[in-house]
Amino acid sequence: MIATGSTQNAEALVRAVQGRSLWRDAWERLKRNRAAMASIALLALIALLALLAPLLSPYGFSEVNYDLITCAPPWWPAGAECIAPGHVFGTDAVGRDLFERVLYGARMSLAVGLVATLVSLLIGVAYGATAGYLGGRIDDVMMRLVDILYSLPFIFFVIILMVMFDRNLLLLFVAIGAVEWLTMARIVRGQAISLKQKEFVEAARAGGVSGGGIIFRHIIPNAVGPVVVYVTLTVPGVILTESFLSFLGLGVQEPLTSWGVLISDGANQMQSAPWMLIFPALLMAVTLFCFNFIGDGLRDALDPRDR
Amino acid sequence: MAGYTLRRLAGALPTLFIIITLTFFMMRLAPGGPFDSERRLPPEVEANIKAAYNLDKPLITQYGLYLKRLAHGDLGPSFKNKDFTVAQLIGTGLPVSLKLGLSAMSLALLIGSLLGSWAALRQNCWQDHAVMTLAMTGITIPTFVTAPLLSLVFGIYGVMVFGHEFTLPVAGWNGGALRNMILPVTVLALPQIAIVARLMRGSMIEVLRANYIRTARAKGLSAPHILFGHALRAAALPLVSYLGPATAGILTGSLIVEQIFGLPGIGRYFVLAALDRDYTMVLGVVVVYAALIILLNFIADILYAVLDPRVRLS
């Protein structure tokens, strides 16, 4: 009895002495945020479905079936002129399986989200950290440039780019990323300015570490918190931009598809085939909600000042 | 004040210049031109057309010519709609877009700030949570989803109002009739309402905690007097600086809304012109849009200085 009691005490003591990292703390707080946790689970499910899309349905995503043109799913509650047995979400205007197309749209949208966000992350973090760390006149000039870019109607440049270069997919990814780095640069700059006055940066400088070394080894790793939050909020923004362009017919081209393309098709047919609008719109809205909830949750978890 | 205004104006002009230059050279860098069509033109004819539009001259000369004309307010002829000048086309589209955009902006500012203040006054109550959930929805769901969904519900299925079946037109401008404007303006305003409500809530909460509000309360002023007489002006400041981004947001949204509801505004012209490589038209619309955004940013700066005595004008 006494022995176990003292072991427990010892364990408690060890636990008390063991430091808790910022990330550990943040994770504990995040776990208590039910909306964020549910969003993570849901998003993982959507990503998994998108990844496994070719295995989930006997129909190919561009497999045309002229016998089943704009047919409702078998369980559709309102009456429909034709029913497509075996097609869970119904079929589109050329008889392609909508379930498969919505999942392929998810693939495209998530891919754009990841790649373009990565591009914006790379540019924004390098730019912001450099401006903030160097300070002075260089900082003034660099941030003035960001201000000017902010006031440009950027979406128009992306549209012009897409038209000029024939809807090149890679270019689309990069162009959207290149639009989204401005806010990232501002956030990282703010962090860098406050971090560079800390003792550990001074110590590194005294130890002879070069400017680039300090930026990449000391400033950027310590600015990760706000950056992570902003990244989760950038992804839905990027997905929106891509869908916006695809909706206007300036993004992803047939037979490839994205949520923007599907919603645009659905909007044209909404009177006769509302399922073509509802399913892609719903999945897209759910995904965007998830990212926003995760972003908000992360912000609360990493920056508990408001608590 | 006059000096400050002038300096702001001087700062805005280079931005406009950069936009014009960027757009001009981006349009020309790419392969393809406005006179590429399925049927090849005879080379002499093509050369003549190009000469007529100065397309045969070196790029830098064309750029110079364009700037010179622009300084006289001439946006040039449209390459595709050959009977019209760009200024004429924009002249027909701009009033539509302006009416649409300004209505949406006013609606967003009014409803957004009301909702935001209400949420701030009831912080952490169910009213606050309801408004913030709505705002999250408004920010998350894009215009191109709300537009077809709302027209499906209100335009095609119709709603019952006091026993009458009530439907709204889902397309057409009809000279700007109120019935035709309801759906597009609502769709355009929704995301902005959400953003304004969030901004207003945040700043209102901060202002209500300030010492001078506590003093006003301690003096025994009535709640409406404190809210409208003291808190609102300070809390509205972030809204003023949001005017610029809001303009950009509404312009972007209008591309979609004009397309979906078939409205003859310049957003629609822009998309068509970009697809047709109608250089002068695209440039013209971008110039007008950029000027609008810069103008609104400028107005916002001036308003901010007027409203906030802390901004030093010297």
Side-chain angles (χ1 to χ4, degrees), chain B residues 244-268:
Chain B
T247 320
I250 283 187
L251 287 181
T252 312
S254 73
L255 292 184
I256 292 275
V257 166
E258 288 175 10
Q259 184 92 358
I260 291 183
F261 292 101
L263 307 178
I266 51 175
R268 213 160 158 229

Side-chain angles (χ1 to χ4, degrees), chain A residues 20-300:
Chain A
R20 294 203 310 179
S21 73
L22 170 78
W23 291 99
R24 182 75 190 257
D25 259 7
W27 174 238
E28 291 299 323
R29 273 193 292 267
L30 189 65
K31 266 202 292 199
R32 260 178 278 142
N33 185 333
R34 263 175 288 164
M37 290 317 281
S39 299
I40 290 176
L42 201 56
L43 203 58
L45 180 71
I46 293 174
L48 195 69
L49 285 178
L51 214 61
L52 299 178
L55 308 174
L56 292 176
S57 167
Y59 314 101
F61 81 103
S62 57
E63 191 180 311
V64 175
N65 183 348
Y66 289 112
D67 297 329
L68 293 174
I69 285 175
T70 46
C71 286
W75 51 273
W76 193 250
E81 280 176 27
C82 93
I83 299 277
H87 294 269
V88 200
F89 283 0
T91 57
D92 73 358
V94 286
R96 291 174 294 199
D97 180 46
L98 198 61
F99 179 70
E100 201 62 6
R101 287 191 75 69
V102 168
L103 288 189
Y104 268 83
R107 282 183 152 198
M108 184 61 75
S109 294
L110 291 177
V112 171
L114 289 181
V115 175
T117 304
L118 204 65
V119 172
S120 83
L121 187 70
L122 288 179
I123 305 178
V125 168
Y127 194 93
T130 309
Y133 179 72
L134 293 179
R137 181 160 296 164
I138 300 173
D139 178 37
D140 283 347
V141 172
M142 284 176 85
M143 290 331 272
R144 180 74 201 131
L145 189 71
V146 170
D147 287 344
I148 291 177
L149 291 178
Y150 246 114
S151 61
L152 299 187
F154 245 116
I155 196 73
F156 300 110
F157 288 119
V158 178
I159 290 179
I160 295 173
L161 266 181
M162 288 321 291
V163 171
M164 298 294 115
F165 293 96
D166 272 342
R167 286 80 146 178
N168 180 325
L169 212 58
L170 192 70
L171 190 76
L172 175 72
F173 286 23
V174 174
I176 297 176
V179 176
E180 299 276 344
W181 64 273
L182 296 171
T183 313
M184 184 70 81
R186 281 190 175 174
I187 292 173
V188 176
R189 168 180 174 266
Q191 289 288 312
I193 286 180
S194 75
L195 283 172
K196 75 173 174 188
Q197 288 151 355
K198 295 273 160 68
E199 285 85 352
F200 64 87
V201 173
E202 206 174 317
R205 205 177 298 136
V209 182
S210 68
I214 292 178
I215 291 177
F216 286 102
R217 297 284 289 281
H218 298 283
I219 305 262
I220 291 178
N222 279 293
V224 163
V227 169
V228 166
V229 171
Y230 190 67
V231 162
T232 38
L233 296 174
T234 304
V235 176
V238 166
I239 292 179
L240 268 183
T241 310
E242 182 276 322
S243 306
F244 172 89
L245 291 171
S246 295
F247 183 91
L248 289 175
L250 296 162
V252 175
Q253 299 292 303
E254 295 279 357
L256 287 177
T257 194
S258 83
W259 286 332
V261 177
L262 292 170
I263 291 171
S264 163
D265 289 348
N268 290 331
Q269 304 259 341
M270 64 182 174
Q271 220 163 335
S272 56
W275 56 89
M276 278 179 63
L277 174 63
I278 291 169
F279 293 123
L282 201 68
L283 196 65
M284 178 171 181
V286 168
T287 308
L288 296 177
F289 266 117
C290 287
F291 275 112
N292 276 316
F293 278 126
I294 296 173
D296 280 2
L298 276 176
R299 177 163 37 210
D300 290 345

Side-chain angles (χ1 to χ4, degrees), chain B residues 35-36 40-52:
Chain B
F35 304 114
D36 293 349
R40 291 288 310 164
L41 292 167
E44 312 84 58
V45 178
E46 201 178 325
N48 275 337
I49 293 179
K50 284 200 165 156

